[in-house]
Every structure is written in structure tokens, then in C-alpha cells.
């Protein structure tokens, strides 16, 4: 079903953006700052979805706002809950394009994995998203909208109650961390992702600090220092291989920016220290990159970089050309990494039963479309 073209949503705008919208309604300039900050607080601190409840804003202005704008989030096409509590939303944007967002609850924390693009222009051979051609970049509003929607659904606003409380972490905040590890290469949508992160990290708003936001990149080397300077979040690098020959195959952008250039950019990442380490992601592919020799080369390669290592069991998808390494092999690999001083390096796959795990975020939307076709047939 097509979404009716609605009013423009104010969700995702910063203070200046909100002030500009107020100007279009004829609000006098001297009031812009104050009114924008009232709106900001209702939107990002309270999470309200209706202008009518904004009691400190004059009734007339509330009416005007409601007439011209909305506080809409992306529409939910499906919401799935895994046996392990992971939730995945397939969301529909204004132009009917679809994206996926995943919430991973853990003891005392909760991580939201958000998308930055619809599809991806890159073609990493083990990634399902990579088989979907890029449709477009997400706007800052669509990036923030994923967080707003997730907070609505899991009751993560002051005084809110979740529809389904099962598996949610205890504690005041249910989303404590945000990772840009969904669909897309975030550094190819630099400005929108940066603007969205600034709103997410704002201490007077969504308030998820830069130290709790992680951007994962396949290695867009020239953008890495710029990201450090302009956004300064935590960084994760999809390394996956220790030799250029193999990385060229797995992560083809390596042909443009090989491992040496990538690691040089990492060493120079602004703010890098033992307290602010770079995470190196390494997908475990059976018989391809999972040998003990690879593990040894990995720890040698990263020796002088303040780093964490994250071994990701490969998540298969229909037609994928790889298999996940055997558990025994992952343990052997992890042991080498552990002995070199890296703690708990294996990322446990979450939400596999709902195809919510790393690199699986395409299949479900296709499955969904297929089932929708069946339903309408
Ligand atoms: N485009 C960015 C961020 C999205 S992918 C990037 O490539 O870093 C998030 C992580 O999932 C990356 O490390 C990616 O390499 C990994 N990944 C992709 N497909 C996977 C799969 N099938 N199984 C396990 N991890 C996968
Ligand atoms: Fe794109 Fe990341 Fe998938 Fe590579 S791993 S195709 S960069 S989403």
C-alpha cells in the first residue's frame, strides 16, 4: 500500500532547521531561538508525536505547526522479535523505499543498529546488502527517524511503556548505544550521517554520547580523518583480511585504498587512545580467512594501534558463496587474538532467526515483498 504524501516531518531537524521552519510560519525572528528550543525539547527529550501536547507553545502556533508539519516517523511495514529478544523493523519511507533497523538488547544496555543508505554501492562478496544496488542515500531525518521509531516501540521515552516489554533491558535507558552497521556505507553519505549524529549526541536531546555511537566503514580512507574531526564518534573498520590479495576479493574497495593506507588513516584517527580504540571487524569465513596464520598476522598488523578485535561469525544468506567457519576454528582463531591481549573478541550472532544479523539485511525485505505479493495474489 502506498503511503499518502504527507506533511513534512520536523523529526531530524536541528535547532537551526527548526528555526527556519518557524520563520516560514511567520514567527518573529526574535522568538526563533526560544521556540526552536521548545520544539527541540518536545521532539527529542519527550518524543511527542502530536503538536497539541506542547503546552508551553501558544495554541495558535501549535495549530499552525500541525497544519504545515508533522512529527511522523518512518512507517512500520513489519516488526519481528527474535527468540533472543532482538527486534527488527522493516520501515517504509515517504517514497515507498524500505530500510531495516535492528535493536539488540543485552544485560544493562541496548544497541540500535541503523542504516545509512538504501542498498550499497559497494559489493563486498560476503554481504547481502552488497548485492542490492544503491537506491539512494538516507536523509538526516530518515536516519534519526529510525531511532525515534525504535524508542517509540520499546517505550524508551520518559514515562513511556513499551507495547511488548519482553526481553528489554532493565534501567532507565533502553537504547544506550547506536551503531551505523545497517544497510549502506555511512562514509558515502557523510553529511547526512554527520548531521544526524550531531543530533543524536546532543546532550540536551537524544543524548547518546559520541563515545556510544560507532560508525562502521569498509574503508573509505580519505573520509576517515574528516569523520574524526567533524563527527568524532567511535570507529569500526571492516577489515576481514590481512593480505591485500584476499581483501581485494572480499572488500573490493581495497583495490582503491589498500590495507596499508587504511591502517595509516586509523593510526591518525583524531582522539585515538587506549580509552578510545578502533574496533576491527573480521568476518569468519570457512577456509578463506580463518587460519591460525591469519590470526597471527592480524595481531601483528594491529600491534601498534589502540584496537579492539571483533570476530563476526559469517551469517549466511540464500545463495551466499561462503560458509561460516566451524566453531572449533573460530575458537582457535580467537585464542591467538586473546593471547595477544584482546578481550572477548567473538561477536555472538543475534537475531539470526529473523535475518537480523550482520550482513543479512536485505533478504527479509525481499522475503517480505514476496510474502506481500503472495498475500495480495
Ligand atoms: N558498510 C559498512 C557498515 C555496514 S556492514 C561496513 O561495511 O562496515 C556492518 C558489518 O557487518 C561490517 O563489518 C560487514 O563487513 C559485516 N557483514 C556484512 N555481511 C556480513 C555477513 N553476511 N555476515 C557477517 N558479517 C557481515
Ligand atoms: Fe556495503 Fe558494508 Fe555490505 Fe560492503 S559490507 S557491501 S560496504 S554494506
Amino acid at each position: 500500500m502506498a503511503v499518502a504524501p504527507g506533511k513534512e516531518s520536523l523529526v531530524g531537524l536541528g535547532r537551526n532547521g527548526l528555526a527556519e521552519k518557524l520563520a516560514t510560519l511567520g514567527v518573529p525572528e526574535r522568538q526563533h531561538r526560544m521556540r526552536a528550543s521548545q520544539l527541540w525539547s518536545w521532539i527529542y527529550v519527550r518524543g511527542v508525536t502530536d503538536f497539541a501536547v506542547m503546552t508551553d507553545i501558544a495554541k495558535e502556533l501549535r495549530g499552525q505547526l500541525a497544519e504545515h508539519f508533522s512529527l511522523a516517523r518512518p512507517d512500520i511495514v513489519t516488526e519481528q522479535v527474535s527468540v533472543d529478544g532482538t527486534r527488527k523493523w522493516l520501515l517504509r519511507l515517504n517514497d515507498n523505499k524500505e530500510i531495516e533497523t535492528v535493536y539488540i538488547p543485552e544485560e544493562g544496555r541496548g544497541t540500535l543498529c541503523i542504516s545509512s543508505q538504501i542498498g550499497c554501492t559497494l559489493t563486498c562478496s560476503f554481504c547481502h546488502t552488497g548485492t542490492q544496488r544503491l537506491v539512494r542515500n538516507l536523509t538526516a531525518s530518515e536516519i534519526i527517524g529510525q531511532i525515534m521509531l525504535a524508542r517509540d516501540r520499546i517505550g524508551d521515552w520518559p514515562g513511556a511503556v513499551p507495547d511488548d516489554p519482553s526481553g528489554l533491558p532493565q534501567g532507565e535507558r533502553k537504547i544506550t548505544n547506536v551503531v551505523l552497521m545497517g544497510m549502506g556505507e555511512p562514509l558515502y553519505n557523510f553529511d547526512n550521517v554527520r548531521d544526524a549524529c550531531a543530533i543524536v549526541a546532543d546532550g540536551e536531546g537524544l543524548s547518546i554520547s559520541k563515545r556510544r555511537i560507532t560508525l562502521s566503514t569498509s574503508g573509505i580512507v580519505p573520509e576517515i580523518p574528516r569523520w574524526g574531526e567533524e563527527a568524532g564518534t567511535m570507529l569500526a573498520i571492516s577489515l576481514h583480511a590481512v593480505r591485500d590479495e584476499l581483501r581485494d576479493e572480499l572488500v573490493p574497495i581495497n583495490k582503491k585504498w589498500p590495507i596499508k593506507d587504511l591502517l595509516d588513516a586509523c593510526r591518525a584517527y583524531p582522539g585515538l587512545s587506549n580509552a578510545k580504540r578502533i574496533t576491527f571487524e573480521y568476518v569468519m569465513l570457512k577456509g578463506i580467512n580463518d587460519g591460525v596464520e591469519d590470526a597471527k598476522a592480524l595481531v601483528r598488523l594491529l600491534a601498534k594501534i589502540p584496537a579492539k578485535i571483533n570476530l563476526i561469525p559469517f551469517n549466511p544468506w540464500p545463495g551466499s558463496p561462503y560458509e561460516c567457519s566451524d566453531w572449533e576454528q573460530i575458537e582457535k582463531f580467537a585464542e591467538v587474538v586473546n593471547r595477544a591481549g584482546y578481550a572477548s573478541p567473538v561477536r555472538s550472532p543475534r537475531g539470526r532467526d529473523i535475518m537480523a544479523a550482520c550482513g543479512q539485511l536485505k533478504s527479509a525485505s525481499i522475503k517480505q515483498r514476496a510474502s506481500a505479493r503472495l498475500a495480495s495474489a
Side-chain angles (χ1 to χ4, degrees):
M1 192 179 69
V3 181
K7 297 170 206 165
E8 183 187 353
S9 175
L10 296 185
V11 168
L13 293 182
R15 291 185 178 82
N16 291 343
L18 292 172
E20 279 167 27
K21 298 299 171 197
L22 288 165
T24 67
L25 300 181
V27 173
E29 200 178 336
R30 63 192 147 75
Q31 290 185 16
H32 285 179
R33 250 181 87 161
M34 179 192 62
R35 295 279 176 235
S37 116
Q38 287 170 321
L39 266 174
W40 166 282
S41 171
W42 284 109
I43 297 173
Y44 298 118
V45 180
R46 310 282 290 274
V48 306
T49 51
D50 187 354
F51 293 105
V53 302
M54 300 182 173
T55 44
D56 56 358
I57 297 179
K59 206 168 169 193
E60 196 193 331
L61 179 56
R62 277 186 263 157
Q64 276 181 297
L65 283 164
E67 202 182 310
H68 293 91
F69 302 109
S70 81
L71 296 168
R73 289 77 157 115
D75 282 335
I76 300 176
V77 181
T78 53
E79 177 177 76
Q80 289 171 282
V81 183
S82 157
V83 289
D84 69 17
T86 300
R87 291 168 192 229
K88 183 172 77 171
W89 295 278
L90 177 63
L91 303 177
R92 187 180 291 138
L93 308 172
N94 275 345
D95 59 358
N96 287 325
K97 302 278 183 332
E98 290 168 355
I99 52 167
E100 291 179 313
T101 304
V102 178
Y103 174 67
I104 305 146
E106 286 167 286
E107 186 82 34
R109 59 185 263 162
T111 303
L112 191 70
C113 175
I114 61 176
S115 295
S116 57
Q117 299 183 308
I118 303 169
C120 188
T121 48
L122 302 180
T123 51
C124 303
S125 54
F126 53 88
C127 173
H128 206 194
T129 308
T131 65
Q132 179 181 10
R133 68 183 177 81
L134 179 79
V135 181
R136 67 171 171 83
N137 280 335
L138 296 185
T139 63
S141 174
E142 290 163 343
I143 295 167
I144 303 267
Q146 298 172 63
I147 302 176
M148 305 292 279
L149 181 280
R151 292 189 72 178
D152 293 346
R153 298 300 302 153
I154 59 181
D156 195 25
W157 297 111
V161 185
D163 281 3
D164 171 8
S166 58
L168 294 175
Q170 299 299 312
E172 214 180 302
R173 295 288 296 266
K174 295 186 177 60
I175 299 178
T176 54
N177 295 65
V178 169
V179 293
L180 281 144
M181 294 187 187
M183 295 160 75
E185 169 47 60
L187 291 184
Y188 275 156
N189 186 12
F190 192 103
D191 291 3
N192 292 341
V193 175
R194 177 202 53 208
D195 294 351
C197 284
I199 292 175
V200 177
D202 192 298
E204 288 170 27
L206 291 170
S207 217
I208 299 169
S209 84
K210 286 178 182 183
R211 304 297 295 265
R212 291 176 173 273
I213 303 175
T214 303
L215 174 135
S216 174
T217 178
S218 57
I220 313 304
V221 168
E223 301 291 17
I224 291 176
R226 211 182 128 213
W227 181 260
E229 277 148 30
E230 295 184 27
T233 68
M234 303 302 278
L235 187 66
I237 302 284
S238 293
L239 189 63
H240 306 318
V242 288
R243 290 174 288 115
D244 281 322
E245 196 194 357
L246 178 59
R247 194 165 189 270
D248 283 351
E249 215 175 278
L250 300 178
V251 186
I253 199 71
N254 193 68
K255 291 182 202 149
K256 197 158 183 186
W257 294 296
I259 295 175
K260 181 183 176 304
D261 296 3
L262 178 57
L263 296 184
D264 283 347
C266 289
R267 283 187 198 92
Y269 191 66
L272 185 65
S273 67
N274 281 338
K276 192 178 177 190
R277 294 165 190 257
I278 293 178
T279 300
F280 288 88
E281 299 164 285
Y282 194 97
V283 64
M284 298 301 296
L285 304 171
K286 186 175 185 168
I288 305 282
N289 65 353
D290 63 351
V292 166
E293 285 312 311
D294 293 288
K296 289 181 182 163
L298 178 64
V299 298
R300 276 199 304 271
L301 201 59
L302 302 183
K304 296 225 170 67
I305 305 177
K308 291 186 221 170
I309 295 178
N310 212 193
L311 305 177
I312 313 175
F314 171 65
N315 291 305
W317 34 274
S320 57
Y322 303 105
E323 280 176 77
C324 181
S325 308
D326 296 331
W327 196 248
E328 220 174 49
Q329 191 58 32
I330 296 181
E331 280 185 336
K332 276 189 200 154
F333 197 107
E335 202 188 304
V336 175
V337 173
N338 253 321
R339 262 194 273 123
Y342 298 94
S344 51
V346 185
R347 184 189 292 176
S348 54
R350 297 288 303 263
R352 267 187 176 176
D353 56 331
I354 56 168
M355 290 293 276
C358 304
Q360 292 184 312
L361 296 189
K362 169 198 176 186
S363 22
S365 34
I366 284 176
K367 267 202 310 227
Q368 169 59 29
R369 275 193 286 276
S371 56
R373 265 199 304 277
L374 279 177
S376 64

